[in-house]
Amino acid sequence: MADNKANGSQDESASKSKSTSLKKDSSQDNGVSGADVKNSADQPTHASASKRTAKGDNNKAKKSSSGNGLLWFVVFILFVLVIGLGGAGYWYYTQQQATSSQVTSAQQQNSAQVQALVAARDEVNTALNRIAQDNQTLKDTISSLQKENEKLSLQAESTLEQLNQMEGRHPADWLIAEADYLVRMAGRKLWLENDVRTAILLLVNADKRLKSLADPSVLPVRASLAEDIQTLQQLNPVSQSSVALALTGMVAQIDKLPLDTFEKPEDTSAQDNALSESTDDWKDNLAKVWHSLVDDFLTVKSIEGPIEPVLSLEAQFLIKEQLRLQLMHAQSAALTGDAGLYKQSLQYSQTLLIEKFDIEKSQVSGFVNAVQNLLETDISRPIPTELVSQQPLERLLDSRVKQVFGQGASAL
């Protein structure tokens, strides 16, 4: 609108300028005609005619100026309309472009969403297929388990029928199997570990299991168990481990035993070489110094009695090691129950003590007495090669338990 007003003002100014120019022309024309009048005062008629002609021209000029202003106004309106239409077209074009870009982005988003939905649908279909397969697998498993359950129920019913048809049922027959296990363990303790005390305890517990049955048919087996218990109780009660521990303590005392070695006798005829502190005895002191120097180079002594050799350190070490070795042999023989090796080792040890050690010392004499006590100890233990109750108990187990439960009790 402001542009239209500006254009209108410009057209008005242009029309005014044209009217002024026309007036100037008319005035010039009037000037000219006036001059002509003055020059020709003789011609008044022509002057009036010229005045009329000038008025007519002024009226025409006014009419033409008004027509030109209207034309310019129309042109201005058309120009404004063209500019408005161009702006409107440009605005519509920009709106269409924005709308098309928005539509394109919306279409792209929709296509991406559609693709995501398609992928999700495919994943759901895959999961449904997996679930269907799992369901089929579960159905197969359930059917197989049902079949196995039916088989087990049939087996249980048949087992119950066998138990119901069994004559003279004994609900506590499992105690027989436990007694048989205890007897087997007693045999292992007796033959593998030589543990008589534990074997006796196991046999006593097996007899208690059979006693709790309160069944007269197991009395022969209990009699066999009593015989085995009595046989083991009559064995040598000396503990082999106690003998072995006693020998271990004696081995530790060997290094403290004194050996019978040569001792330098005292020379009763030896002179007193002690120097006196008196200056008057300088001659005696000089003679004593001389004799001590001479005696250090060569000494001759007479000894009455048997001659004993002097033992070196190596010989003393070997004697003690021989005694230690013999006592260790006796220890191992005591643990294994080898009475012959046990006595032989102790006898050799006693001989070494008497011949090589100082028997007059209390330590050696006490050691010899200890060895003698061990020699008098009987470590022999005649362990039976089998238990009397083992076979009767196995037969009882076969007749009572294994025949009833079949192969299931074969591991007992």
Side-chain angles (χ1 to χ4, degrees):
M1 295 299 291
D3 294 335
N4 294 330
K5 289 180 180 180
N7 293 326
S9 62
Q10 289 177 0
D11 294 334
E12 290 177 357
S13 61
S15 60
K16 287 181 181 180
S17 62
K18 288 181 180 180
S19 61
T20 53
S21 63
L22 291 174
K23 286 181 181 180
K24 286 180 182 181
D25 294 334
S26 61
S27 63
Q28 287 177 1
D29 292 334
N30 291 327
V32 173
S33 62
D36 293 334
V37 170
K38 287 180 179 181
N39 292 322
S40 60
D42 295 328
Q43 297 175 357
T45 305
H46 291 287
S48 61
S50 62
K51 287 181 181 179
R52 291 176 182 175
T53 303
K55 288 181 181 180
D57 292 334
N58 288 331
N59 291 327
K60 288 179 179 180
K62 288 180 181 180
K63 289 181 179 179
S64 62
S65 63
S66 62
N68 290 330
L70 181 61
L71 179 61
W72 281 108
F73 179 75
V74 171
V75 171
F76 175 74
I77 293 299
L78 292 175
F79 181 74
V80 170
L81 289 175
V82 170
I83 291 174
L85 290 174
Y90 179 75
W91 177 81
Y92 179 76
Y93 175 75
T94 54
Q95 292 295 322
Q96 289 294 325
Q97 291 293 328
T99 304
S100 63
S101 62
Q102 291 179 358
V103 170
T104 304
S105 62
Q107 288 178 353
Q108 292 177 355
Q109 292 178 357
N110 291 330
S111 62
Q113 291 179 358
V114 169
Q115 291 177 358
L117 291 174
V118 170
R121 185 190 63 185
D122 295 337
E123 291 180 356
V124 170
N125 292 330
T126 304
L128 290 175
N129 292 329
R130 291 178 182 176
I131 292 171
Q133 293 177 359
D134 294 338
N135 289 331
Q136 186 64 34
T137 305
L138 289 174
K139 288 180 181 179
D140 297 337
T141 305
I142 291 170
S143 61
S144 62
L145 290 175
Q146 288 178 353
K147 292 179 181 179
E148 291 180 359
N149 190 13
E150 291 176 357
K151 291 180 181 179
L152 291 175
S153 62
L154 292 175
Q155 291 178 0
E157 290 178 358
S158 62
T159 303
L160 289 174
E161 290 178 359
Q162 291 178 2
L163 291 174
N164 291 327
Q165 293 175 1
M166 186 176 58
E167 295 180 358
R169 290 181 299 168
H170 300 280
D173 283 343
W174 61 272
L175 293 172
I176 299 174
E178 188 174 355
D180 180 71
Y181 173 75
L182 292 173
V183 171
R184 291 176 184 273
M185 289 298 298
R188 292 176 184 175
K189 285 287 184 182
L190 189 62
W191 299 316
L192 297 179
E193 302 179 11
N194 293 327
D195 191 354
V196 179
R197 183 178 300 176
T198 306
I200 292 173
L201 292 175
L202 291 171
L203 291 175
V204 170
N205 288 327
D207 184 66
K208 289 181 180 179
R209 300 295 189 278
L210 296 177
K211 183 180 179 181
S212 62
L213 288 174
D215 189 358
S217 62
V218 299
L219 289 177
V221 180
R222 291 188 62 194
S224 301
L225 285 172
E227 183 179 354
D228 289 334
I229 292 170
Q230 188 64 28
T231 302
L232 295 179
Q233 287 178 350
Q234 291 176 359
L235 294 177
N236 187 8
V238 176
S239 176
Q240 296 176 350
S241 60
S242 299
V243 175
L245 291 174
L247 288 170
T248 302
M250 294 174 68
V251 169
Q253 298 295 324
I254 290 176
D255 293 332
K256 298 180 182 179
L257 297 178
L259 290 168
D260 188 10
T261 58
F262 174 77
E263 294 181 1
K264 184 178 180 181
E266 295 180 359
D267 188 5
T268 57
S269 63
Q271 297 179 359
D272 187 11
N273 292 326
L275 300 177
S276 64
E277 296 179 357
S278 177
T279 57
D280 296 334
D281 299 333
W282 63 272
K283 293 182 179 181
D284 296 333
N285 290 334
L286 184 59
K288 290 178 180 179
V289 170
W290 172 253
H291 287 298
S292 63
L293 292 174
V294 172
D295 293 339
D296 289 337
F297 287 104
L298 182 62
T299 302
V300 178
K301 296 179 181 178
S302 60
I303 298 173
E304 297 179 356
I307 299 175
E308 298 178 357
V310 178
L311 294 176
S312 63
L313 295 176
E314 291 81 1
Q316 295 177 14
F317 176 77
L318 289 175
I319 291 171
K320 290 183 179 181
E321 289 299 320
Q322 287 178 359
L323 179 60
R324 182 178 287 107
L325 180 61
Q326 295 301 322
L327 292 179
M328 292 176 69
H329 285 168
Q331 183 182 15
S332 62
L335 291 174
T336 57
D338 190 355
L341 179 61
Y342 174 76
K343 289 184 178 181
Q344 182 180 356
S345 300
L346 289 179
Q347 287 174 358
Y348 189 73
S349 300
Q350 192 175 24
T351 302
L352 284 174
L353 286 169
I354 294 172
E355 292 180 356
K356 303 297 182 179
F357 290 84
D358 191 359
I359 197 66
E360 295 179 357
K361 298 294 181 66
S362 60
Q363 297 176 355
V364 179
S365 61
F367 204 90
V368 171
N369 293 330
V371 172
Q372 184 63 34
N373 291 330
L374 291 175
L375 273 171
E376 296 174 356
T377 303
D378 185 14
I379 63 168
S380 62
R381 183 175 292 179
I383 296 175
T385 57
E386 63 178 354
L387 297 175
V388 180
S389 60
Q390 189 170 0
Q391 292 184 357
L393 191 56
E394 288 180 357
R395 289 194 295 268
L396 181 63
L397 184 65
D398 290 336
S399 62
R400 285 289 190 89
V401 179
K402 291 185 179 180
Q403 290 182 0
V404 174
F405 295 101
Q407 297 296 327
S410 61
L412 295 175

